[in-house]
Amino acid sequence: MKVDFLGLEAFLCIADRGSFHRAAAHLNLSQTALSHRMKKLEDDLGLKLLARTTRQVTLTPTGVELLPKARRIMEEITSSFEQLRLRGKERQEHISIACLPTIASIYLPRILRGFLEDYRDVRVRILDHSASEIIDHVRNGEVEFGISIVSSMAMDLDIIPLFKESFVLACPKDHPLADSDAATWQDLEGEPLIRIGTLTGNRILIDDALGSRRDSLLWRYEVRHIATAINMVQAGLGVTVLPEFALGASRATDIVAVPIRNPSVVRTIGIITRKGIPLSAPAEALCALVMREFRQEKPAKGPRKRASIGG
């Protein structure tokens, strides 16, 4: 049997006010509509709850028994709805997203300027973390969506691809490979290489592409952040292999990017959300702005990129 909440509401209102007239006025109903609600409730129960005369309304013994239980039920429902309403309001006033540091530093400021035109009162929390951390943030619901490296293995997530980019060799402009049209992984054997740590999707993509060949390379240093790798290249400690987009915004003038081949390594950047979980209205609007941004302006490509600090 379904619970007749409208009937319970009518019953409680009549019991509290002792009058169909006053209860109908409080609920903004006609007395006829209120009477229909009570009749339906009593018919469903097969019991009389109210004794009504021309002068007064009283509770039957069954009505007296039901009253505290009905009041508790309605109070619990009201409290639950209020908590949900507050959570919904909070989602409209505050959103959290996760993003690769490079995307966050280069593209998000411009996107957020457009977002604030319509959502000036919404607070935005940005977790500029690694690819693996972004996946975790999305999965556990800490953020509404992430902008990161996408993987076909994430079957529990929805993915909207944004763009693809190749990995390049980042080296000093006076390095022997700096003027090459392209470098191969064999060219890098014996070179001191700066490796990005295992928490990043970049490391996984490179390792998967190279297979056992990665063991023939001289991985002298390992860091977590691309910014650190770039600074170490500038210091002359070695060279590194980074996503092409990650080399687009630094003021460094002494590092160049050389396409790398045999094999080429490519990553796809996309928007990641939890499957089946709708975004809040502000998050959906921000997500649409992100998609429009990358449709209008693809990340710059070319064989000679200046280094960018980021993820």
Side-chain angles (χ1 to χ4, degrees):
M1 173 182 172
K2 294 182 179 179
V3 178
D4 184 357
F5 291 107
L6 292 179
L8 286 177
E9 180 186 46
F11 168 69
L12 288 172
C13 199
I14 295 167
D16 288 342
R17 286 160 180 79
S19 163
F20 270 71
H21 175 73
R22 287 191 291 271
H26 178 76
L27 295 175
N28 197 27
L29 294 172
S30 67
Q31 290 192 53
T32 301
L34 183 64
S35 296
H36 285 164
R37 286 191 182 184
M38 276 307 307
K39 183 177 185 304
K40 181 178 182 302
L41 178 63
E42 291 177 328
D43 288 347
D44 287 342
L45 294 173
L47 295 166
K48 282 290 184 182
L49 301 175
L50 301 174
R52 184 180 184 184
T53 68
T54 56
R55 293 187 177 183
Q56 63 180 357
V57 178
T58 59
L59 298 180
T60 67
T62 303
V64 172
E65 180 185 350
L66 177 63
L67 182 62
K69 298 175 183 178
R71 199 182 304 282
R72 184 171 63 253
I73 290 171
M74 296 304 289
E75 287 175 351
E76 289 177 355
I77 291 174
T78 300
S79 176
S80 296
F81 268 77
E82 184 61 27
Q83 290 175 18
L84 291 173
R85 189 177 292 111
L86 290 174
R87 283 169 55 186
K89 182 179 179 182
E90 183 179 351
R91 284 192 78 197
Q92 300 299 319
E93 296 176 346
H94 177 275
I95 61 174
S96 295
I97 67 171
C99 187
L100 294 174
T102 303
I103 304 290
S105 63
I106 299 174
Y107 279 88
L108 272 190
R110 183 165 59 210
I111 294 170
L112 289 173
R113 281 199 300 269
F115 176 75
L116 289 175
E117 292 178 5
D118 295 320
Y119 294 91
R120 185 162 297 279
D121 295 330
V122 175
R123 292 172 294 157
V124 183
R125 178 175 176 239
I126 301 166
L127 304 181
D128 46 345
H129 291 168
S130 68
S132 60
E133 291 170 316
I134 291 172
I135 292 291
D136 289 340
H137 292 321
V138 174
R139 281 196 170 117
N140 65 29
E142 188 175 356
V143 300
E144 293 205 54
F145 68 87
I147 307 172
S148 184
I149 303 170
V150 303
S151 168
S152 60
M153 300 300 293
M155 302 300 293
D156 58 328
L157 303 173
D158 284 328
I159 294 171
I160 303 174
L162 292 174
F163 65 89
K164 292 184 177 182
E165 62 175 331
S166 300
F167 282 70
V168 295
L169 171 68
C171 62
K173 63 182 182 181
D174 58 355
H175 191 276
L177 294 173
D179 293 326
S180 304
D181 292 332
T184 67
W185 291 95
Q186 187 174 359
D187 293 333
L188 300 182
E189 291 182 3
E191 288 280 347
L193 288 167
I194 303 160
R195 190 177 209 168
I196 307 299
T198 54
L199 282 178
T200 69
N202 298 329
R203 162 74 174 273
I204 296 171
L205 288 171
I206 292 173
D207 285 354
D208 288 348
L210 291 178
S212 60
R213 292 174 59 182
R214 65 179 178 269
D215 296 330
S216 64
L217 298 172
L218 177 58
W219 302 104
R220 178 164 291 174
Y221 306 100
E222 182 170 312
V223 300
R224 180 175 180 182
H225 298 291
I226 284 178
T228 305
I230 290 173
N231 289 336
M232 292 175 71
V233 172
Q234 287 184 289
L237 296 174
V239 297
T240 190
V241 176
L242 303 173
E244 184 176 12
F245 179 41
L247 296 175
S250 172
R251 293 186 178 89
T253 59
D254 51 354
I255 296 178
V256 297
V258 180
I260 193 162
R261 304 284 186 263
N262 299 326
S264 298
V265 184
V266 178
R267 72 176 186 174
T268 300
I269 302 298
I271 295 173
I272 304 169
T273 60
R274 285 183 292 167
K275 191 179 292 291
I277 304 297
L279 300 177
S280 65
E284 188 172 358
L286 182 56
C287 187
L289 287 174
V290 171
M291 289 188 287
R292 186 172 69 183
E293 173 75 19
F294 286 103
R295 289 191 182 114
Q296 291 177 347
E297 181 176 342
K298 304 295 184 184
K301 296 181 180 289
R304 295 290 180 269
K305 295 288 175 294
R306 299 306 181 188
S308 93
I309 306 302

